[in-house]
Amino acid sequence: MSIVTRFAPSPTGFLHLGHVASALVGWRCARAAGGRFLLRIEDIDPTRCRPEFAAAIEEDLAWAGLSWDGPVRAQSAHLPAYRAVLTTLAERGLLYPCFCTRAEIQREVREAASAPHAPDGSLRYPGTCRALTPADRRHRLAAGAPHVLRLDMAAALRAAATPLWFDDLRHGRVLCAPERFGDVVLARRDAPASYHLCVTHDDAVQDVTLVTRGDDLLAATDVHRVLQAVMGWPAPRYLHHPLLTDAEGRRLAKRDQALSVRALRAMGVGAEEVRRRATLAIPCG
Ligand code: GLU
């Protein structure tokens, strides 16, 4: 089976060395196996993403010598596909509208006995709106009440009907515990679909066989496996890599603008040197 990897940045800032490190892992694994390396722009969040950053990412990647195969996929061009997944999940009773405000959720979380936070640091929603009656839901929706759409995690796990795990080239076989995330948001008030939904949908339709990304997204893969299981999408293999750190061992962040590819270029650092500084010594399997 031919290997397909991808780099899937969100255009919320300029490409920095940490991104190049991540892109390099996917690029190297694809090129070493004679496979394909795809570029996907995850621009689903209109409040944080900007087209000029998407253009800059493409330009900086090309400058760094990280060529990708085929056209770039921009998630914002595929909203009907994400809506179709939401409709399927809703028809199967795995999705429900949540009308809680952030302040209400904070209060509900304080009062609930369960863990307050999901592994990604977000508040773990205690499921208040899951208990609304169908009539109440209809009434609020008809009145145009602002809401998000949440996955009913317990129902989804029942629908998956199998223990979930994934194979990671560094972490080995990882058993999933997606209930740690609670009922995750799959569509927001200000964004038509969530990261979890779009990333799993796109990895499936783009036939990605090896998902390479940072260890910061390792836990999120548990949620992705649930969506793959209920939607009947294939489970890719994963390679979650360590995050590139600075000399003091701190994780590079977008605010370290001095480490953006733009800034390094302006300082006269060449593409080969940028790749060298961004190289993580991890095998592709
Ligand atoms: N778009 C995500 C990010 O920039 C990465 C998605 C992924 O690689 O799964 O953090």
Side-chain angles (χ1 to χ4, degrees), residues 88-96 150-160 186 230-231:
T88 302
L89 293 171
E91 283 168 0
R92 293 176 55 192
L94 303 180
L95 205 66
Y96 64 88
R150 290 185 181 273
L151 181 71
D152 183 335
M153 186 60 85
L157 287 173
R158 280 194 300 276
L186 293 189
V230 295
M231 293 302 296

Side-chain angles (χ1 to χ4, degrees), residues 6 8-10 40 42 195 199 203 211-213 216-217 224:
R6 78 331 187 251
S10 303
R40 183 165 76 224
E42 302 212 322
Y195 158 66
V199 80
D203 286 338
V211 171
T212 57
R213 61 185 175 205
D216 53 334
L217 290 169
H224 303 172

Side-chain angles (χ1 to χ4, degrees), residues 82-140:
Y82 308 131
R83 264 196 296 274
V85 179
L86 291 167
T87 304
T88 302
L89 293 171
E91 283 168 0
R92 293 176 55 192
L94 303 180
L95 205 66
Y96 64 88
C98 168
F99 303 94
C100 296
T101 62
R102 200 177 153 74
E104 283 165 345
I105 295 175
Q106 274 163 346
R107 198 191 58 235
E108 290 155 12
V109 165
R110 268 198 308 274
E111 287 163 6
S114 53
H117 291 107
D120 60 2
S122 64
L123 285 174
R124 190 177 178 280
Y125 182 62
T128 318
C129 285
R130 200 192 317 121
L132 291 177
T133 64
D136 202 1
R137 257 177 215 157
R138 267 198 310 277
H139 177 73
R140 293 196 197 197

Side-chain angles (χ1 to χ4, degrees), residues 10 42 233 237 245 278:
S10 303
E42 302 212 322
W233 293 328
R237 285 184 308 153
T245 51

Side-chain angles (χ1 to χ4, degrees), residues 21-39:
S22 198
L24 255 175
V25 172
W27 182 83
R28 210 164 32 83
C29 292
R31 294 286 172 258
R36 286 163 55 75
F37 172 67
L38 311 179
L39 175 60

